[in-house]
């Protein structure tokens, strides 16, 4: 009964490269959320996806960031042309359909991105 | 719109002492409220949640929180701190739609 699996746990990229962060939700969960935690700060919501759909992307930076959750496979958070300010921990969470009163989200252990 | 304010970015208690971590929320709709704990270099683990049932919520590891609508508060308490409680604690609010709005976090230190 695996929880939310994120990989890689640590990722180092040079400025200008692309970063791909993967998230496999809890089995049976079709809702995925991405959060970013900057050093010394709390978690900030980025995007909420359901299978093949983006439900809420109000926290996503307008440029360079994109997310998907395909019908098959993990959810991917993609950061193009990374800059030093993108260095952070990125957490994925998953849940059942929250509209049915399933209010608990389970979190992965995060991917720590370092841009050098 | 929803928001969360955690009073005190750092709290230090002695082992065996009462733990009190403060959380105030703002919400235009009936809120769902959560406390999560984060150990160094780890993900978040749910301690407890309020979902409009009992106002006093009991969680794991001896923690509990009380929802007070009149004070818009959801403070986290534990009667007796243990060294293993040292971690970062996050309060969060949701409108039930899945997306969580987090406070800034409170780092709890426990002195022997």
């Amino acid at each position: 009964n695996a929880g939310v699996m994120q990989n890689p746990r640590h990722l180092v990229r040079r400025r200008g490269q692309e970063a791909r962060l993967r998230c496999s939700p809890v089995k049976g969960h079709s809702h995925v959320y991405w959060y970013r935690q900057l050093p010394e700060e709390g978690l900030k919501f980025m995007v909420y996806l359901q299978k093949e759909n983006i439900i809420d992307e109000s926290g996503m930076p307008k440029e360079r960031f994109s997310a998907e959750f395909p019908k098959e496979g993990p959810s991917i958070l993609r950061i193009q042309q990374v800059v030093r300010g993108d260095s952070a921990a990125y957490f994925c969470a998953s849940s059942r359909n929250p509209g049915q009163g399933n209010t608990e989200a389970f979190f992965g252990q995060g991917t720590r991105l370092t841009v050098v | 719109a929803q928001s969360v304010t955690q009073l005190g970015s750092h709290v230090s208690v002695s082992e065996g002492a009462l733990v009190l971590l403060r959380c105030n929320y703002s919400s235009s709709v009936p809120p769902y409220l959560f406390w999560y704990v984060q150990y160094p270099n780890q993900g978040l683990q749910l301690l407890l949640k309020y979902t409009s049932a009992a106002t006093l919520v009991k969680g794991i590891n001896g923690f509990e929180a009380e929802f007070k609508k009149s004070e818009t508060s959801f403070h986290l308490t534990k009667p007796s701190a243990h060294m293993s409680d040292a971690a970062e604690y996050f309060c969060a609010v949701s409108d039930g739609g899945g997306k969580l709005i987090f406070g800034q976090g409170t780092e709890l230190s426990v002195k022997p």
Side-chain angles (χ1 to χ4, degrees):
Chain A
N1 190 17
V4 177
M5 303 299 292
Q6 290 188 248
N7 66 82
R9 290 288 308 277
H10 300 274
L11 182 61
V12 179
R13 284 287 178 266
R14 295 185 183 278
R15 281 177 294 172
Q17 290 185 319
E18 178 179 287
R20 279 181 178 248
L21 288 63
R22 288 177 290 278
C23 169
S24 296
V26 172
K27 188 175 181 180
H29 287 188
S30 58
H31 297 254
V32 164
Y33 315 84
W34 285 94
Y35 295 84
R36 177 165 64 176
Q37 184 178 32
L38 293 168
E40 307 298 322
E41 293 187 17
L43 283 80
K44 303 292 186 187
F45 168 78
M46 298 182 75
V47 62
Y48 164 26
L49 309 106
Q50 194 182 354
K51 284 286 189 180
E52 300 185 278
N53 290 303
I54 296 175
I55 307 299
D56 181 347
E57 56 181 349
S58 57
M60 287 281 269
K62 294 287 186 284
E63 297 177 346
R64 302 186 297 108
F65 285 71
S66 62
E68 62 177 9
F69 188 18
K71 187 176 180 181
E72 301 291 337
S75 174
I76 304 288
L77 179 67
R78 181 183 178 204
I79 311 172
Q80 295 178 289
Q81 299 176 320
V82 296
V83 300
R84 288 231 170 99
D86 297 333
S87 295
Y90 292 83
F91 290 95
C92 172
S94 74
S95 73
R96 297 185 187 278
N97 184 355
Q100 296 173 352
N102 296 302
T103 54
E104 182 172 352
F106 294 82
F107 280 79
Q109 294 198 310
T111 293
R112 279 150 184 86
L113 172 65
T114 302
V115 180
V116 297
Chain B
Q2 296 182 306
S3 66
V4 172
T5 301
Q6 290 183 241
L7 299 175
S9 57
H10 297 274
V11 170
S12 181
V13 301
S14 297
E15 192 173 18
L18 171 72
V19 175
L20 171 61
L21 304 182
R22 300 178 187 274
C23 172
N24 288 86
Y25 70 91
S26 172
S27 180
S28 57
V29 299
Y32 295 86
L33 293 158
F34 306 81
W35 276 100
Y36 283 88
V37 61
Q38 183 182 32
Y39 297 100
N41 297 315
Q42 297 294 314
L44 278 71
Q45 181 182 8
L46 181 68
L47 279 176
L48 49 80
K49 61 181 178 182
Y50 166 76
T51 57
S52 76
T55 56
L56 182 61
V57 181
K58 293 188 184 297
I60 62 172
N61 301 339
F63 285 94
E64 62 182 39
E66 187 172 7
F67 172 68
K68 291 187 177 180
K69 184 178 179 180
S70 61
E71 299 178 8
T72 60
S73 69
F74 191 57
H75 302 330
L76 182 71
T77 60
K78 181 174 181 178
S80 177
H82 192 272
M83 297 296 290
S84 61
D85 294 327
E88 185 104 26
Y89 291 80
F90 292 96
C91 182
V93 65
S94 166
D95 61 4
K99 167 183 167 182
L100 293 168
I101 305 298
F102 284 89
Q104 309 92 306
T106 298
E107 183 177 353
L108 175 66
S109 301
V110 182
K111 298 175 291 186

